[in-house]
Amino acid sequence: AFAHNLKQINVDFFAGQITAITGVSGSGKSSLVKEVLYRSWEKGKAINCSSVFGLEQFSEVLMITQEGLTVNRLTTPVSYTGILDELKAIYAKTESANAGGWKRADFSYQSKRGKCPTCAGYGMLKTTMDFMSDIWLTCDTCQGTRYNQEILEVTFQGKSIGEVLQLTVQEAVDFFQSSTLVGSLNILKNVGLGHLILGQSGNTLSGGESQRLKLANSMIIGKSKKGEKGATLYLFDEPSTGLHYFDILQLNEVFQLLIDQGDTIIFIEHNKTMIASADRVIKLGPASGERGGELV
């Protein structure tokens, strides 16, 4: 491998295990994972290296970075993961929905019949300020729920779909208890996102939250395709970012579940607890820049 400052190094990774890539900042960790491994998978040939073997055993290689999901305020944790579709199905089956003639599609905050007419489903209104950045204020009509008044009158266990979107993941797990929805919500909770609000705008998430939401989404998709998909190689850039010690332990358990189902994980890390959970550690260095790029 010779991307950027990598000094023609030979590296072995083991499938079905957790590998931690460590080393000081600028030692070549991202170059190895993103510019060699991931780009070689993307292009289907050796990129930034003389040869690469074994990537063909994976049906999918996911590079889960800390880049934000989107700049669109309509993207939320539930819309991104498909949980909103399950919510719409639950509300469409209620007696009040049948009585009002509401269909499943109407329970989307982007639908013509469902969205708040004032804020168009954003839950907030943009106010342009002279000489300052625009600010977003909660919509007075829907109080930030994103829906019109008629849809908000349809309730499930005493809550409208707008009120449910204002619950945290943990609160939603407690609220839905026996519903099929709980499996997907628990995945969000287990990757350290129990504090997220279901209808939170995607552009307000931190890098670490965005990364874990991408992981949760891939696990939710994997759950629905059980038996169909082959092994996945997950590549992470510092998955511990922003996590409390106990959340890190929980994330380690999630990683172990992925390994148990035949997947492979390679992550770049500085956190000692995360590194200790790996089956194997590959350290790059010894320093950064020109003095890095060696296999230590």
Side-chain angles (χ1 to χ4, degrees):
F2 48 76
H4 301 310
N5 65 338
L6 296 177
K7 308 280 199 308
Q8 302 279 344
I9 58 172
N10 292 320
V11 187
D12 292 322
F13 301 98
F14 292 117
Q17 289 191 5
I18 300 174
T19 303
I21 313 286
T22 69
V24 296
S25 198
S27 59
K29 303 184 298 295
S30 293
S31 299
L32 180 60
V33 174
K34 296 178 187 175
E35 301 302 320
V36 180
L37 260 186
Y38 187 63
R39 288 201 56 206
S40 293
W41 158 264
E42 267 190 320
K43 302 293 181 188
K45 61 180 183 180
I47 300 288
N48 290 322
C49 60
S50 55
S51 54
V52 60
F53 305 97
L55 284 174
E56 65 284 344
Q57 68 192 286
F58 301 108
S59 63
E60 198 172 15
V61 176
L62 296 175
M63 180 76 236
I64 303 185
T65 65
Q66 296 190 21
E67 287 164 19
L69 301 179
T70 174
V71 291
N72 189 341
R73 284 177 177 269
L74 288 170
T75 301
T76 59
V78 287
S79 69
Y80 185 76
T81 55
I83 291 172
L84 183 59
D85 292 330
E86 297 181 68
L87 274 174
K88 291 188 312 196
I90 287 170
Y91 276 87
K93 285 177 186 164
T94 59
E95 283 181 25
S96 47
N98 289 331
W102 299 107
K103 296 191 168 51
R104 181 174 170 161
D106 299 328
F107 289 94
S108 165
Y109 52 77
Q110 295 180 51
S111 71
K112 201 171 181 180
R113 292 186 74 198
K115 66 185 174 185
C116 166
T118 307
C119 66
Y122 283 89
M124 306 189 91
L125 290 168
K126 184 163 76 171
T127 305
T128 305
M129 308 286 283
D130 293 334
F131 313 116
M132 289 170 68
S133 302
D134 295 339
I135 58 169
W136 287 79
L137 300 171
T138 302
C139 172
D140 285 336
T141 308
C142 67
Q143 300 301 319
T145 61
R146 299 175 180 261
Y147 290 93
N148 65 39
Q149 195 50 49
E150 291 87 350
I151 284 287
L152 293 174
E153 284 167 10
V154 178
T155 60
F156 173 77
Q157 293 178 14
K159 282 192 190 296
S160 70
I161 191 166
E163 288 173 311
V164 165
L165 291 195
Q166 293 184 325
L167 298 176
T168 64
V169 170
Q170 179 60 64
E171 288 167 345
V173 168
D174 298 336
F175 179 72
F176 285 102
Q177 284 176 355
S178 58
S179 167
T180 52
L181 195 68
V182 172
S184 299
L185 290 169
N186 271 326
I187 289 174
L188 287 175
K189 178 182 153 189
N190 292 340
V191 298
L193 295 175
H195 63 284
L196 273 197
I197 293 166
L198 298 185
Q200 190 172 335
S201 291
N203 63 344
T204 64
L205 303 183
S206 70
E209 287 168 340
S210 297
Q211 185 182 44
R212 291 192 296 282
L213 191 57
K214 292 172 195 171
L215 168 62
N217 184 48
S218 104
M219 291 174 71
I220 289 167
I221 292 168
K223 180 168 66 93
S224 65
K225 290 184 177 175
K226 209 166 184 180
E228 291 173 36
K229 82 180 193 63
T232 300
L233 168 59
Y234 290 94
L235 304 173
F236 290 94
D237 188 1
E238 297 200 50
S240 71
T241 302
L243 284 182
H244 184 275
Y245 174 72
F246 292 109
D247 289 327
I248 288 174
L249 296 182
Q250 198 165 22
L251 185 61
N252 284 341
E253 286 181 23
V254 171
F255 280 0
Q256 199 52 57
L257 278 174
L258 292 173
I259 296 301
D260 291 344
Q261 69 185 31
D263 295 330
T264 301
I265 294 170
I266 298 171
F267 57 67
I268 296 166
E269 255 311 343
H270 293 105
N271 181 282
K272 287 177 180 163
T273 308
M274 284 299 292
I275 294 167
S277 75
D279 299 296
R280 194 156 179 265
V281 178
I282 292 171
K283 186 174 181 181
L284 300 183
S288 61
E290 272 304 304
R291 292 172 54 229
E294 302 273 6
L295 198 57
V296 178

